[in-house]
Amino acid sequence: MSYFFSLKANAQVADTSKHVFQLGQVNIIGTKDSLRSNKLSAGTLNLYNRYDVSHALSLLPGVTLTAIGPRNESAVNIRGFDIRQVPVYLDGIPLYVPYDGYVDLARYNTFNLSEINISKGYSSVLFGPNAEGGAINMVSRKPANPFELNAVAGYLNGGYRLNTNIGSNLGKFYYQVSASQLKRDYYPLSSSFTPVKNEDGGHRDNSYSNDIDVSGKVGFTPTASQEYAIGYSYHHGTKGTPVYAGDDTQNSLLTKPRYWKWPNWDTQGLYLLSNNKINTTNVIKTRWYYSQFKNEIDSYDDVNYSTITKPYAFKSIYNDYTLGGSVIFENTDIKNNSLSIVGQYKQDVHREHNVGEPIRRDADNNFYAGAEDTYHITSALKVNAGVGFNDRRNTQAQLYSNNVISDLPGGGNSAWDVQGLVQYDLDNTNSLSFSVARKTRFATIKDRYSFKLGTAIPNPNLKAEDALNYDLSYHTLIGSKLTLQASGFYSKINNSIQTVNNVAVDPTTHANLSQVQNVGQAEYYGAEFAAGYPINTRLRLDANYTLIVRNNLSAPQIYFTDVPKHSLFASIQYSPVAKLYLLASEEYNSKRYSTSYGTTSGAFYLSNVKAHLTLVKGLSLEGGVNNLFDRNYTLVEGYPEEGRNYFVNLMFNY
């Protein structure tokens, strides 16, 4: 929520709004963003020392930090919807992996971002397809001065961080270059962790990671009505996957652990953005991009990680890319009216093989057209409506079996998105909004074509999943200090894409086979509350609470995973003198299901503290402790998170 997390009353948090790359934003023009979306500024990310995107987003109400333990991936859940249903963008350009729609948010750090915007349930149709539960847009930095330099060197348990941002804005030309490394040889486990067969405690085995990022952009603004920018980003990542360390006897990983390493988790992208104001009432914006995703998983024989010879061991290589673009037309010819029209094309290509096998290829073409319009009935009352048409066509799908590559049947389907919103400003400090949005997402290539190592039947004709999202939100500012937000939401999900077991028997192996089908119905509902209060110029309090209930209407005996019913975040910041501030925060999550058959990950509290000291102008030092009381906790049963851990950062700004 922009009121809560902009922390405008806090003098210790720098105003970073002037560094927002506006070409990278995706907004519904004519509406008040704070009533339909949440925002994290760069100042807030630095204040709470959130180094990766998943941990940053968990600061917000309605957002749950989750993990995919067997793959050592980090993600978030938005009001019950996972990352496949809430796509992730960088400057409006999609980041999710073409094959399965996921993205490991732990691989994306926050060091070069100006802000992160998150829309829940009701998101601009300008984003395009698959925004069933909303959208997440990370916005990069843009320089505001003739020369800028920001650099940080830091220590954290098992590793270090290094990052720098250099930029210059000379009026008609600007450039921004960013480079960073976040490296860890391990993370520490809590002293309360009880050693098990596959984990002896102390330093978490195979928990290393190393993420190197380089990015840059060059911009040209020939007139006040035109702006063009070309950018490039590169990421190289390596990581281990810690072995399952739980006690669930129904989990096959208890007796058959995975010994996985990722020697590379790499992405790179090239994009061109433009904004052309034709006249006072007409604007054309474009986005063109090419993104590449490459990774390798090495599955070893045993805990020695030295040989790959057993039947379950392999080297799996993905080499995917996405090519696309969009054109947006904005018109304000009609008084009190703002119209936006968008057309998009996106091609997703997935190529995979195990070492020693030929490469097989899958490809989708995605077409999208949408329009949204905002009309100000009065200065206080405005309405917005949007509609989008999605069409997905598979152009190739290949199977490798018995040393032969063959083509699988193609498929495709289309879907409509329709939404409406009413906003009413009761006065300058009280605002109310109500929205209804029918949003969809297409089945991924993996959903439609994966054989799941010979245990499943493909289903190329899967239809789009759809959700009907309702939201009622109220914002107020009391006494020019106390900000309050309350939201209630309800979502009904139909044609949910779920795995159905025992649909057939393999004639050769006689094993029962599953298939992904459109069989599910579900409902998610809950509420969010948030407050921020500067008691005086030196002391500030912030807090938010989320309630989420998810019901599997089709199969109540199958539990939804990864989302706690209750979550709470609160912080207190105190500045005894102008150059020093102290920060303490507390997080609480109730228990959550880790498996569909009922295994749970227990409730937990986390306490974090930090001190920040300005040494001289432009140079500061900070240090802190996360998980102060060394609690042993999990987000996924069998995958313990960090125990008590420390950090120290030296920061320079010019």
Side-chain angles (χ1 to χ4, degrees), residues 143-359:
N145 302 304
F147 181 75
E148 298 176 355
L149 170 63
N150 162 260
V152 180
Y155 158 85
L156 60 160
N157 284 80
Y160 60 85
R161 64 172 285 196
L162 298 169
N163 64 274
T164 185
N165 296 292
I166 300 173
S168 175
N169 192 324
L170 301 174
K172 289 189 176 182
F173 294 92
Y174 62 85
Y175 72 85
Q176 179 77 49
V177 178
S178 301
S180 67
Q181 182 180 20
L182 182 60
K183 184 178 188 299
R184 302 192 76 172
D185 296 324
Y186 65 86
Y187 66 78
L189 292 177
S190 166
S191 59
S192 300
F193 174 78
T194 302
V196 295
K197 177 182 177 181
N198 294 317
E199 176 57 62
D200 59 0
H203 298 171
R204 181 67 156 121
D205 295 337
N206 204 35
S207 64
Y208 70 90
S209 63
N210 187 15
D211 293 288
I212 299 171
D213 286 274
V214 178
S215 64
K217 69 169 73 72
V218 177
F220 177 48
T221 53
T223 70
S225 302
Q226 297 172 294
E227 183 175 359
Y228 307 90
I230 183 169
Y232 172 78
S233 63
Y234 170 79
H235 172 90
H236 171 64
T238 62
K239 64 175 181 177
T241 299
V243 176
Y244 176 75
D247 57 8
D248 178 10
T249 57
Q250 296 185 66
N251 192 329
S252 61
L253 295 175
L254 180 64
T255 55
K256 298 179 180 179
R258 290 177 176 177
Y259 303 107
W260 283 11
K261 290 187 176 183
W262 306 65
N264 63 283
W265 196 102
D266 299 349
T267 65
Q268 62 178 328
L270 181 68
Y271 64 81
L272 173 65
L273 308 181
S274 72
N275 181 36
N276 287 277
K277 191 173 184 180
I278 301 171
N279 52 40
T280 57
T281 58
N282 293 278
V283 178
I284 293 179
K285 299 178 179 179
T286 66
R287 283 185 172 88
W288 311 102
Y289 56 88
Y290 172 81
S291 302
Q292 188 179 67
F293 174 82
K294 293 183 177 181
N295 76 24
E296 177 182 336
I297 303 174
D298 292 352
S299 174
Y300 290 86
D301 294 339
D302 52 41
V303 72
N304 294 316
Y305 297 96
S306 58
T307 57
I308 302 177
T309 60
K310 295 185 178 180
Y312 58 76
F314 59 82
K315 283 191 175 186
S316 174
I317 298 172
Y318 285 4
N319 184 4
D320 297 355
Y321 72 82
T322 293
L323 176 69
S326 69
V327 178
I328 298 170
F329 172 69
E330 296 178 355
N331 176 271
T332 54
D333 279 328
I334 301 174
K335 185 179 180 180
N336 298 323
N337 195 79
S338 303
L339 172 69
S340 298
I341 300 173
V342 61
Q344 291 188 10
Y345 169 75
K346 180 169 175 278
Q347 182 185 57
D348 293 328
V349 174
H350 170 67
R351 295 170 295 196
E352 69 168 284
H353 71 286
N354 287 354
V355 171
E357 299 176 353
I359 298 171

Side-chain angles (χ1 to χ4, degrees), residues 590-625:
S590 62
K591 71 175 184 179
R592 65 184 78 187
Y593 290 108
S594 289
T595 65
S596 61
Y597 50 81
T599 306
T600 61
S601 181
F604 62 85
Y605 293 88
L606 290 180
S607 304
N608 308 310
V609 294
K610 167 188 171 179
H612 179 105
L613 176 65
T614 300
L615 302 174
V616 295
K617 184 179 179 180
L619 184 66
S620 56
L621 178 69
E622 66 180 16
V625 185

